[in-house]
Amino acid sequence: MIRFPQRRLSALGGVFLLVLCLTIPWGSAAQGFRRYIVTFGDTPARIAERYGLTVEQLLAANGLPNDAILHPGDELILPTRWTAAEYVVRPGETLADIAAQYGLSPDLIAHHNGLWQADRIEVGQVLLIPAVNPAFEGLAARALRILAPLPGSIVRGEITLQGMGASPDNVVLISATDAQGRTLFETWAPVWAEIGQPGRFSAKLDLRPYEAGPITLAIWSRNLHNGTPREKVSLALVIGAP
């Protein structure tokens, strides 16, 4: 489980955070970040310089204020890909045609724009072309991942759901059902990343109104064409007695 840095969270500021994407050789999976454990003597400036980032990129990717102080053992995420260019789709072009012009895979461009490769592109549509950093490796690109709480945890009161994921509208939807399958509540959480890119999300969930017993959280991103789930994960928890 990622241990978030001990920090004062920055204000939202109406700005979606920086791209968190990574590529590895064509035909392989991609992921949007590299994990870094802070060691003694590390500062944001030293870490940023070591990994070819600006301090602003590093701080934005982790939701940190400009005066952030790092502590040994804190875990950061390092952005590993960002947009290099914009491309306007011309008549007759496919995603594969555009990818070939830049020496990239169609999957990579699709992921960078929050698309499935099967999604149709339209004339005049603006696609973001990712800059590629092949130095890092990662796991599967699109899978939503829940960082906290752990599956099977006994929870009570107000809890914080934390995770990583990508969504074409920068929103993950959250619903809870009880052991009988009845819906207890539905809510949502923003994904703090460039649209369609993997980023952190978190949501405060108040479990106090509900009876003790097992519940299941469903976390999913929706297909913008018809509202159906694009990715979906379930998290089984137990509400403990007060």
Side-chain angles (χ1 to χ4, degrees):
M1 181 177 71
I2 287 182
R3 185 166 75 87
F4 291 102
Q6 300 170 356
R7 63 177 187 257
R8 173 172 53 84
L9 292 177
S10 60
L12 303 184
V15 180
F16 287 118
L17 296 183
L18 174 68
V19 176
L20 302 175
C21 279
L22 158 68
T23 69
I24 56 180
W26 314 143
S28 301
Q31 180 160 310
F33 64 93
R34 175 186 174 92
R35 294 173 178 173
Y36 179 83
I37 304 298
V38 174
T39 60
F40 182 79
D42 275 341
T43 65
R46 289 175 180 174
I47 297 170
E49 181 180 8
R50 189 180 311 153
Y51 288 94
L53 303 170
T54 67
V55 174
E56 290 76 15
Q57 288 170 340
L58 177 65
L59 295 177
N62 289 275
L64 293 170
N66 292 334
D67 59 353
I69 298 175
L70 303 181
H71 305 276
D74 286 347
E75 185 163 342
L76 302 177
I77 54 176
L78 306 181
T80 55
R81 192 181 71 203
W82 49 90
T83 297
E86 295 183 352
Y87 184 88
V88 180
V89 178
R90 295 178 294 192
E93 286 186 317
T94 66
L95 200 58
D97 296 331
I98 298 168
Q101 294 181 46
Y102 289 91
L104 304 175
S105 72
D107 283 334
L108 176 57
I109 294 181
H111 174 53
H112 195 66
N113 287 271
L115 305 171
W116 292 130
Q117 190 175 336
D119 289 348
R120 291 187 298 176
I121 58 176
E122 300 177 355
V123 175
Q125 181 177 354
V126 177
L127 295 177
L128 303 179
I129 306 301
V132 176
N133 182 345
F136 305 121
E137 295 185 356
L139 303 173
R142 286 189 160 274
L144 289 169
R145 293 180 301 287
I146 305 305
L147 306 177
L150 295 176
S153 295
I154 298 176
V155 293
R156 53 178 59 86
E158 187 178 67
I159 67 170
T160 301
L161 175 72
Q162 299 174 338
M164 292 288 301
S167 168
D169 57 357
N170 277 74
V171 168
V172 293
L173 305 175
I174 304 162
S175 61
T177 55
D178 62 15
Q180 287 71 46
R182 295 173 298 198
T183 299
L184 301 179
F185 61 83
E186 295 178 328
T187 186
W188 60 276
V191 176
W192 298 112
E194 188 173 318
I195 290 178
Q197 298 303 299
R200 281 182 175 165
F201 61 83
S202 66
K204 295 284 188 182
L205 306 178
D206 187 359
L207 304 180
R208 287 172 293 185
Y210 308 109
E211 295 180 358
I215 63 166
T216 301
L217 298 183
I219 300 94
W220 53 286
S221 63
R222 61 188 161 196
N223 190 315
L224 293 184
H225 297 304
N226 54 22
T228 58
R230 299 186 71 141
E231 297 179 81
K232 189 172 184 178
V233 296
S234 295
L235 177 65
L237 300 171
V238 177
I239 298 179

